[in-house]
Amino acid sequence: MLYIFCPHCGLRSQNEFAYGGDATVKRPELNKEISDQEWNNFVYLRKSPRGKHLELWHHISGCRQWIKVERDTSTHEIFKTYKADELTE
Amino acid sequence: MSQDFRLDNIGMVNRNKKISFTFNGKKYFGYEGDTIASALIANGVHLVGRSFKYHRPRGFFGVGVDEPYAILQLERNNERDPNIRATEQEIFEGLEVKSVNCWPSVNFDIGAINNFLKMFFPAGFYYKTFMWPPSFWYKIYEPFIRMAAGFGEASIKHDKERYEHKYEYCDLLITGSGPSGLASAYAAAKNGARVILAEDKPRYGGSLLTSDVNIGNQTGAEWSEKIITELKSMSNVIVKNRSQVFGYYDHNMLVMSERISDHLPKTQKYLPKQRLWYIRAKEVLISSGSIERPLVFGNNDTPGVMLSSAAKEYMKVYGVLVGKKPLIFTNNDSGYETAVEFKKNGINPLILDTRKEPSSDIITEAKNLGIEIKYSYVVVAAKGYKKVKSADIAKISDNKKDLSNIENIECDCICVSGFWTPSIHLASQSGNKSEFNEKIDAFIPKKSKQKENTIGSANGKFTLEETINEAFNKGYEVSNKITENNNKVSIPTVVEKKSTEHDKFWCVPLPKGKSYKRFLDFQNDVAVTDIELALREGFRSIEHVKRYTTLGMATDQGKTSNLNGLQLVSDIENKVVPQVGHTTFRPPYTPVSIGAIVGREVGKHSKPTRKSPMHEWHEKNNAVFVDAGVWLRPRYYKQGNETLFEASKREAKNVRKNVGVCDVTTLGKIDVKGPDAAEFLNRVYTNAWLKLPVGKARYGVMLREDGIVMDDGTTTRISENHYHMTTTTAQAANVLSHLEYYLQLVWPELNVNVVSTTEQWAGAAIAGPNSRALLMKLFPNTDVSNEALPFMGYKEADLFGIPAKIYRISFSGELAYEVNVESDYGNFMWEKIIEVGKEFQIQAYGTEALSTLRIEMGHVAGSELDGRTIPHDASLEGLVSKKKDFIGKRSLSRSAFTKPDREKIVGVVPLDKTTSIPEGSYIVKDPKAKLPNPKLGHVSASCWSVEYDNPFSLAIIKDGKNMIGQKLFAMSPLKNKTIPVEIVSSHYVDPEGKRVRA
């Protein structure tokens, strides 16, 4: 079971969190003209890298904050965690 | 009663306490501290089971977790426990055990015929046999395999025992209390670290209990007793026996199963039977020791053939002789220690050593004691069926290929020692890639991957001096890293006998003309010939060989068989072992009972049960409950002998005719607050929200980004910047996460807060033509007229002194209101409504009537919003704004979603107006069409329309709106029904929506 550092609460076990997928996806701006292809990429396509990956976790049984976790998907090593408003670019 | 094989002056069992137990119905006795194995051996019983495949007689092979044979079924306190290891289970008064995998008895087992049919059971026989004819499978092959397979019989009763889970955190977890475990725990604890020391056996000390060594002028056993006593007294140390750390998971999470009551006749009050510990350790020291390797020779599975270290432990710990005419067969010095122990207890052993001219302290001691030793000698085959009676032995040539004349010598047990295999399972589970150590012919851990170190013989250190030094240093070093203390304890001096090199020889060749079975895996009956066959048939990868032959796949996980198997594969393939590699070690290290894994989460505890504040009233009024998400909701209120159908019809009718009240506390409620709340709702919902005035509610639908409907509900503007959102019962948690996602990650610039208020409000829906009249009596000081409180209006009011909120919203399609009060007043509100409502013929209604009401109104719910429908499919396109953008809007213009013949919601009425249509039925044009019959859609919800007194269903069918008026068929192959139906509008009752606005 992973041990995840919540930037708001500290080290907590994985069972307090829900996984939220790729954190690098950026939602297209509202009211913007956008091609089918671009929209498809946003809704359906996700990278599933082996190695370092920035992903979202939701501390649902804790502070209810969404956080970003930089994790190695093959070794589970967690390098760093960030608050939702960090790493926005 | 005398025990022929019990020694008087040796052992650690409590001679003052006799314990009686039964084995296969016969009564035996042992002493407190005995295992089933030691007690049976003391009574001269060696035949305890039959092997898995050939049903050959099986006895005891080991003395602990590595035992492959002695797996028994236990009855304890009227509970059945299958597959317990006789070498681990301690006896208690009244214990009943019996053999498994044999019929009719272990002495006469019909399955043993397999032994003579072994040409039909080669490696992978189940891939080759039982194939033809196919019709034999169900009636003949499967029952046969089911009867033959497995060991114990699982109980089908509910397990009444209690199992617990516990979370623990520590600086240092040490797995195993042998010399390395004790020394490192002591050094670390003295340096201030918070230590957990786990020991699998009842007694602490590991090999110290049986080796003839001296630490700090004390015997091994005395020293371990001293250390453990001191550790137990320290507040920073947790010491646990009967506790197996069986799994090493990510981020230094280890799981340990503690057998608290298994050794007692009955679980004590306030104690669980077993406890599962989830331990998060900053550092781990693996001191799991090593397991002796068997030597392989003919019939090496005969009862009486066992590990030499086991024979020694039976003597030293239990005071039990495994035989009185022992033959020791060894390729290293360990066998000598067992021989010396026999000799000291007045038994004359014979040693066969595969080595030519070894010399060491212990060999000299054996010689001096007058023990007979034959060098370059091997056991060719054990003789005897149910117990070893003699052995064929022979001198072996220097190249270990040729056997000279075979002699037969009498013996009653053969103690084998093929050197030692470090238990690297936990290290390997942690991700540590092991490396092969040529010096010991075994794998040892390599570079740590997690925060773990392996010490002692688990790390291939086989002398006590090395082990003790390493362990003291590691214990200090690791604790120093964590505590930054510098309290170093002095390392005691160690006296032990020096041993010499072992022989790499391990598998005795077959003599000419003989075809003895030589077993590698004792639990799964895998012999040398099976591996040879697998390789001949082209299996190369060790993982494939393992699965094809089942080598190492039994419940002992190959603790005694893995290395010999690898050695054989590499010998045949002319490779070295590291080239072959080893199979993956996976948790659990030893079997763990399902009860322990499940813990307290059984029955009602498997998930939380949420009850509304009005639950007791429902119970008192004969409510029949249904699970709705995590909630219990009244399904209907039973009167007399009413059926569900009759009751729900009565309740629904009363709503249409008079007035009903329904508990809607379970609806999800979310407070949305902040200056940007309106803008936020406008982005979340498909319809427009910016212009909703204060004191008004609006129905809204929210989508996922892929355009599929996620949830629906009404949201009310309580004040300028405060909205009260409702969600469906089932989606409440998901909707909150969804909102938080957008607020925290996508639009952090919006100044909005969301919080769940589901449990803060109790809700009652009052529906029916009499509802306003009732409301006027409930709130005499509030104007609830149609003008003052119109449809979708909201008012705060006073309910007999209690602050209440009235929302004029309707799910039933009738004139209806939802009254909310703070949860603690819920019951008060409910009882007042019932009391005041009496004159208006009020009746409470449950979810079944609620369903009926919404179905005949054509209101969609979870069965239509099933994760596949977009708003248009559910006739909700009127709620989709064309002007503004919102979550999921772009997806709605996908070609698949704009196809004209997309499935749409319609109503379905049977032509005969009497036959109910099963939910899930397909709608088809021609019921006699060739299969698969092209499906137009499916029936999503069915009810008995109380308005028209005939069945009515909702369906989602292709090009639905254009099908209205058509005569089609509803087919339910499951219920074997074909019903002619007519497609009608989904708004079956009051299509103009007059009633809700009345």
Side-chain angles (χ1 to χ4, degrees), chain B residues 569-797:
Chain B
V569 172
S570 36
D571 285 357
I572 299 172
E573 294 273 276
N574 250 329
K575 286 182 182 163
V576 287
V577 173
Q579 281 178 302
V580 174
H582 62 72
T583 52
T584 315
F585 294 100
R586 292 191 179 87
Y589 173 66
T590 52
V592 184
S593 68
I594 300 287
I597 292 168
V598 176
R600 301 295 306 275
E601 289 157 28
V602 287
K604 279 276 166 206
H605 296 295
S606 63
K607 61 171 196 207
T609 304
R610 290 165 104 183
K611 296 175 183 171
S612 93
M614 289 83 97
H615 189 84
E616 271 185 41
W617 188 94
H618 303 323
E619 273 181 337
K620 269 188 236 154
N621 288 275
N622 298 325
V624 177
F625 292 93
V626 62
D627 288 310
V630 289
W631 293 89
L632 275 182
R633 293 188 74 175
R635 192 173 184 190
Y636 62 102
Y637 299 84
K638 193 174 176 140
Q639 290 186 358
N641 293 326
E642 268 181 338
T643 60
L644 161 68
F645 179 69
E646 288 160 354
S648 62
K649 217 161 113 177
R650 166 181 56 73
E651 291 169 8
K653 251 188 190 160
N654 190 59
V655 170
R656 293 266 184 256
K657 202 173 139 217
N658 300 308
V659 61
V661 58
C662 180
D663 187 348
V664 291
T665 303
T666 63
L667 281 186
K669 303 174 201 75
I670 298 170
D671 244 19
V672 183
K673 276 186 179 173
D676 297 321
E679 173 62 25
F680 180 55
L681 293 174
N682 209 41
R683 297 179 186 186
V684 167
Y685 283 123
T686 59
N687 46 349
W689 284 80
L690 297 178
K691 288 180 186 153
L692 181 73
V694 172
K696 278 287 206 176
R698 185 165 285 176
Y699 174 71
V701 171
M702 59 177 83
L703 308 186
R704 313 189 305 218
E705 291 287 16
D706 63 1
I708 301 291
V709 177
M710 179 180 185
D711 199 44
D712 66 341
T714 56
T715 292
T716 308
R717 193 165 197 174
I718 305 288
S719 66
E720 181 65 22
N721 295 330
H722 179 193
Y723 292 79
H724 172 80
M725 175 187 278
T726 65
T727 72
T728 58
T729 301
Q731 290 292 336
N734 291 344
V735 170
L736 184 64
S737 289
H738 178 77
L739 300 180
E740 285 167 336
Y741 175 89
Y742 283 91
L743 284 175
Q744 293 171 25
L745 289 157
V746 186
W747 303 311
E749 69 278 8
L750 292 184
N751 191 353
V752 179
N753 261 315
V754 289
V755 68
S756 164
T757 56
T758 301
E759 286 172 36
Q760 274 63 40
W761 299 106
I766 300 172
N770 290 347
S771 57
R772 185 176 295 124
L774 170 55
L775 227 63
M776 285 164 72
K777 288 233 161 165
L778 285 170
F779 304 100
N781 303 325
T782 306
D783 185 359
V784 293
S785 66
N786 200 27
E787 294 69 40
L789 184 58
F791 181 52
M792 286 299 192
Y794 161 77
K795 264 203 168 171
E796 286 171 19

Side-chain angles (χ1 to χ4, degrees), chain A residues 1 27 31 36 39 66 76, chain B residues 251 280 705 744 890-891:
Chain A
M1 200 187 326
R27 191 191 190 280
N31 300 309
D36 278 355
W39 184 254
W66 286 86
H76 294 313
Chain B
H251 295 184
R280 189 77 76 169
E705 291 287 16
Q744 293 171 25
R890 181 63 182 80
S891 289

Side-chain angles (χ1 to χ4, degrees), chain B residues 92-125:
Chain B
F92 50 78
E93 192 61 41
L95 167 85
E96 287 175 38
V97 277
K98 60 177 194 189
S99 301
V100 295
N101 206 33
C102 55
W103 184 84
S105 79
V106 68
N107 252 312
F108 176 71
D109 176 18
I110 286 190
I113 196 161
N114 290 3
N115 193 29
F116 303 101
L117 302 174
K118 56 192 164 207
M119 59 282 217
F120 298 119
F121 297 97
F125 72 99

Side-chain angles (χ1 to χ4, degrees), chain B residues 833-861:
Chain B
I833 294 172
I834 295 288
E835 183 193 316
V836 177
K838 251 185 204 143
E839 61 172 294
F840 305 104
Q841 283 76 46
I842 197 166
Q843 284 185 22
Y845 64 102
T847 55
E848 199 67 23
L850 185 71
S851 274
T852 297
L853 296 167
R854 75 95 185 165
I855 292 169
E856 62 176 4
M857 276 290 162
H859 288 171
V860 291

Side-chain angles (χ1 to χ4, degrees), chain A residues 1-3 13-15 27 29-32 34-36 39 42-44 56 58 60 64-66 68 75-78 84-85, chain B residues 167 169 249-251 253 278 280 449 683 705-706 733 736-737 740-742 744-747 883-888 890-891 894:
Chain A
M1 200 187 326
L2 305 187
Y3 214 17
S13 275
Q14 184 186 340
N15 50 2
R27 191 191 190 280
E29 275 170 46
L30 288 167
N31 300 309
K32 194 181 150 202
I34 179 171
S35 70
D36 278 355
W39 184 254
F42 159 67
V43 176
Y44 295 106
L56 292 171
H58 190 195
I60 45 165
R64 291 211 62 98
Q65 294 299 303
W66 286 86
K68 294 171 183 174
T75 64
H76 294 313
E77 185 179 351
I78 291 175
D85 59 0
Chain B
Y167 288 81
Y169 298 81
Y249 300 89
D250 293 310
H251 295 184
M253 162 73 83
Y278 293 90
R280 189 77 76 169
K449 184 131 177 247
R683 297 179 186 186
E705 291 287 16
D706 63 1
L736 184 64
S737 289
E740 285 167 336
Y741 175 89
Y742 283 91
Q744 293 171 25
L745 289 157
V746 186
W747 303 311
K883 291 186 196 139
K884 55 138 195 176
D885 200 0
F886 52 84
I887 294 168
R890 181 63 182 80
S891 289
R894 285 176 50 191

